[in-house]
């Protein structure tokens, strides 16, 4: 009989401590520099690849941890190290999840290794769904993929925006409209192989936080990819579209999932875990500072006003982690998200990171506001966690519609 336990296994603790060592020894010392440079920290990614931390094998091992805690544990430690570098290391994972969620076994085996490259020649990947006029509202997507039957090729045209690793990726996963009459049900995901003609990087964004992570537009002009680059394959797409068309005629019928939603559902708890890592890092700095900073003849933590803030910070971080772990455990053990538990975890963890990092800055006083201390960077980094992978408002919308029993869209 399965025993309930909240204790990590010895093996999980070993992995966690190993990642923590890399985060403390390699990421932390490099964090301020890459934040200032606003460039992809290739040397740090290479270091991670050398020790096997940036590799398909590592993520596969964590992904297949039967408790579901492998990925959130890894994310929390990496983002405790630094969020900008952390996202540069794990950004490829979003594209990999896109392939895992929608691809065939052959596609998974062919493309995911090319997303990571190897220790001597590291590569990154990008997942491109958002567009200038289609952020929260994915149904407004315009990028078109048209099938050229004579050549068994798909032709893609459009502009993607906000793509993490967009334009510098070896492999891009692009979500496009294949049937405009079906809204998000008429979307499909495509692999754009390395060196494909017609794909180019547009504007690279200068950001508030996570500045070591590359975010850019991706422009697709008559991009031709072979038929086998359609994730899941043509037969499965045709079946799915037929069901969606049927349902459009008969709204009471079986529901059809769309490709981008499948990716987001699977990745939300992992994103929540990243936010937990940032919040924990800022809390630890604030706790140390509060114990050593003396004002009015005593450490500032002796003031209840400061101590209670730390108590609330710690409580919220632990609560966020528990929501993340629950959602990851549910996803891994095949329990359906009946109350949008994935969205709950991302919502609460993202909001917690933003709040806790702001409190940490307050506890550090003037020092908290300077780049001499890391909490202002952590606060800038945390701010993205209520925006990307679905804003907090969209998470609330998903939770509200799920508990109300009405369709999400
Ligand atoms: C640094 C960064 C990295 C990113 N990485 C990627 C990536 O790798 N791949 C990718 O595809 N995308 C990526 N994104 C895009 C990200 O997911 C979107 O920015 C996000 O989904 C929000 O879309 P938007 O920016 O268009 O905002 P909008 O959708 O325009 O929202 C603006 C505001 O309106 C609110 N709002 C919108 N609709 C509603 C509603 N119905 N009810 C209540 N409030 C609402 C939102 O919550 C928000 O506060 C990234 C973004 C950033 C900034």
């Amino acid at each position: 009989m399965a025993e309930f336990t909240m204790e990590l296994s010895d093996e999980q603790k070993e992995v966690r401590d190993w990642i923590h060592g890399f985060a403390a020894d390699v990421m932390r010392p490099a964090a301020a520099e890459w934040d200032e440079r606003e460039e992809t920290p290739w040397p740090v990614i290479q270091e991670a690849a050398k020790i096997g931390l940036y590799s398909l094998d590592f993520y596969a091992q964590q992904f297949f941890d039967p408790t579901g805690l492998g990925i959130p544990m890894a994310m929390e430690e990496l983002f405790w190290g630094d969020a900008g570098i952390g996202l540069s290391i794990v950004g490829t994972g979003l594209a990999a999840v896109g392939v895992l969620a929608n691809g065939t076994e052959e596609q998974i085996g062919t493309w995911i290794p090319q997303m990571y490259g190897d220790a001597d020649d590291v590569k990154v990947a990008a997942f491109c769904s958002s567009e200038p006029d289609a952020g929260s509202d994915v149904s407004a997507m315009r990028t078109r993929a048209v099938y050229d039957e004579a050549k068994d090729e798909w032709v893609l045209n459009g502009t993607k925006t906000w793509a993490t690793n967009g334009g510098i990726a070896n492999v891009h996963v692009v979500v496009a409209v294949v049937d405009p009459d079906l809204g998000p049900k008429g979307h499909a995901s495509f692999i754009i192989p390395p060196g494909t003609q017609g794909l180019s990087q547009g504007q690279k964004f200068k950001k508030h936080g996570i500045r070591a992570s590359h975010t850019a537009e991706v422009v697709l002009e008559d991009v031709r990819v072979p038929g086998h680059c359609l994730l899941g394959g043509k037969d499965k797409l045709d079946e799915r579209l037929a069901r969606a068309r049927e349902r459009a005629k008969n709204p009471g019928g079986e529901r059809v999932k769309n490709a981008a939603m499948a990716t987001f559902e699977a990745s939300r708890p992992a994103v929540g875990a990243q936010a937990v890592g940032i919040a924990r890092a800022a809390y630890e700095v604030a706790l140390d500072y509060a114990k050593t900073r003396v004002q009015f003849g005593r450490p500032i933590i002796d003031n209840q006003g400061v101590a209670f803030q730390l108590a609330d910070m710690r409580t919220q971080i632990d609560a966020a982690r528990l929501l993340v772990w629950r959602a990851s455990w549910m996803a891994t053990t095949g329990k359906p998200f009946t109350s949008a538990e994935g969205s709950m975890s991302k919502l609460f963890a993202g909001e917690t990171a933003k709040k806790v990092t702001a409190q940490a800055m307050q506890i550090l006083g003037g020092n908290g506001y300077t780049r001499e201390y890391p909490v202002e960077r952590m606060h800038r980094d945390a701010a993205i966690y209520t925006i990307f992978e679905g804003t907090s408002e969209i998470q609330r919308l998903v939770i509200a519609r799920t508990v109300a029993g009405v369709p999400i869209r």
Side-chain angles (χ1 to χ4, degrees):
M1 197 176 80
E3 221 178 85
F4 178 75
T5 174
M6 304 267 288
E7 185 129 65
L8 298 177
S9 68
D10 288 346
E11 200 184 322
Q12 285 170 322
K13 284 182 195 157
E14 211 175 287
V15 175
R16 181 197 60 192
D17 294 348
W18 174 67
I19 304 169
H20 186 82
F22 181 81
D25 301 340
V26 182
M27 295 172 75
R28 276 273 169 107
E33 180 193 337
W34 292 101
D35 175 58
E36 288 294 336
R37 285 174 66 164
E38 294 196 48
E39 287 169 12
T40 301
W42 289 107
V44 186
I45 304 176
Q46 264 150 12
E47 283 293 305
K50 264 188 217 150
I51 62 161
L53 186 50
Y54 183 75
S55 71
L56 168 61
D57 276 3
F58 173 71
Y59 290 101
Q61 255 172 32
Q62 302 318 309
F63 190 81
F64 291 112
D65 176 336
T67 66
L69 301 189
I71 291 284
M73 214 176 58
M75 293 294 175
E76 181 177 334
E77 293 313 315
L78 286 171
F79 283 71
W80 173 91
D82 180 60
I85 298 177
L87 198 61
S88 299
I89 292 177
V90 307
T92 297
L94 185 59
V97 169
V99 176
L100 282 171
N102 303 302
T104 62
E105 279 193 17
E106 201 185 335
Q107 288 169 329
I108 292 169
T110 305
W111 298 110
I112 297 186
Q114 295 192 49
M115 293 181 169
Y116 286 95
D118 56 49
D120 296 324
D121 187 16
V122 288
K123 304 285 187 201
V124 292
F127 179 75
C128 313
S129 171
S130 303
E131 296 182 4
D133 292 323
S136 302
D137 181 10
V138 280
S139 65
M141 191 179 288
R142 288 203 199 128
T143 296
R144 265 300 252 139
V146 176
Y147 189 52
D148 178 347
E149 202 161 357
K151 293 188 174 154
D152 182 28
E153 284 179 348
W154 287 90
V155 187
L156 285 90
N157 279 288
T159 300
K160 293 292 176 182
T161 193
W162 308 123
T164 300
N165 297 333
I168 61 165
N170 198 37
V171 177
H172 291 76
V173 175
V174 172
V175 185
V177 177
V178 290
D179 185 335
D181 296 335
L182 294 176
K185 308 281 187 272
H187 296 175
S189 297
F190 296 85
I191 293 281
I192 313 296
T196 301
Q197 293 290 309
L199 182 148
S200 61
Q201 182 185 306
Q203 182 189 357
K204 178 188 168 185
F205 296 102
K206 287 178 87 70
K207 305 193 299 293
H208 177 64
I210 52 162
R211 300 199 302 189
S213 170
H214 172 105
T215 315
E217 286 176 337
V218 171
V219 181
L220 301 134
E221 284 170 309
D222 288 330
V223 169
R224 285 189 164 263
V225 295
H228 62 76
C229 286
L230 165 68
L231 287 177
K234 185 87 168 53
D235 290 348
K236 204 166 150 208
L237 173 70
D238 288 343
E239 254 171 55
R240 184 161 64 78
L241 294 179
R243 269 188 287 133
R245 285 183 197 115
E246 198 49 45
R247 188 176 151 77
K249 279 190 247 150
N250 163 28
E254 193 198 345
R255 296 199 63 76
V256 184
K257 269 185 153 187
N258 81 65
M261 286 293 276
T263 302
F264 289 140
E265 260 177 40
S267 60
R268 274 177 185 151
V271 178
Q274 297 169 6
V276 172
I278 304 171
R280 190 183 111 211
Y283 157 79
E284 286 176 7
V285 175
L287 179 63
D288 283 351
Y289 193 88
K291 285 189 205 161
T292 51
R293 171 70 177 167
V294 174
Q295 286 292 275
F296 301 101
R298 57 182 188 171
I300 58 169
I301 199 168
D302 285 358
N303 298 291
Q304 202 178 58
V306 174
F308 276 18
Q309 277 197 70
L310 286 159
D312 285 346
M313 288 157 79
R314 178 60 193 261
T315 304
Q316 282 165 20
I317 294 166
D318 281 15
R321 183 184 301 107
L322 287 171
L323 283 177
V324 163
W325 282 16
R326 177 182 70 165
S328 302
W329 169 77
M330 289 178 78
T332 300
T333 53
K335 293 173 179 57
F337 285 164
T338 50
S339 312
E341 287 86 348
S343 292
M344 274 189 207
S345 72
K346 197 269 175 180
L347 168 64
F348 191 78
E351 292 290 338
T352 295
K354 207 165 146 181
K355 200 153 110 193
V356 163
T357 53
Q359 285 174 301
M361 279 211 302
Q362 188 65 21
I363 290 171
L364 266 72
N367 281 331
Y369 198 64
T370 70
R371 294 192 184 185
E372 298 297 310
Y373 284 79
V375 288
E376 69 79 32
R377 185 182 69 247
M378 292 165 181
H379 184 55
R380 285 188 284 109
D381 292 345
I384 192 62
Y385 284 84
T386 62
I387 297 173
F388 71 2
E389 294 269 330
T391 64
S392 286
E393 292 74 28
I394 294 303
Q395 307 301 341
R396 290 188 180 99
L397 203 90
V398 171
I399 299 163
R401 288 188 179 164
T402 307
V403 297
V406 296
I408 290 173
R409 54 170 64 253

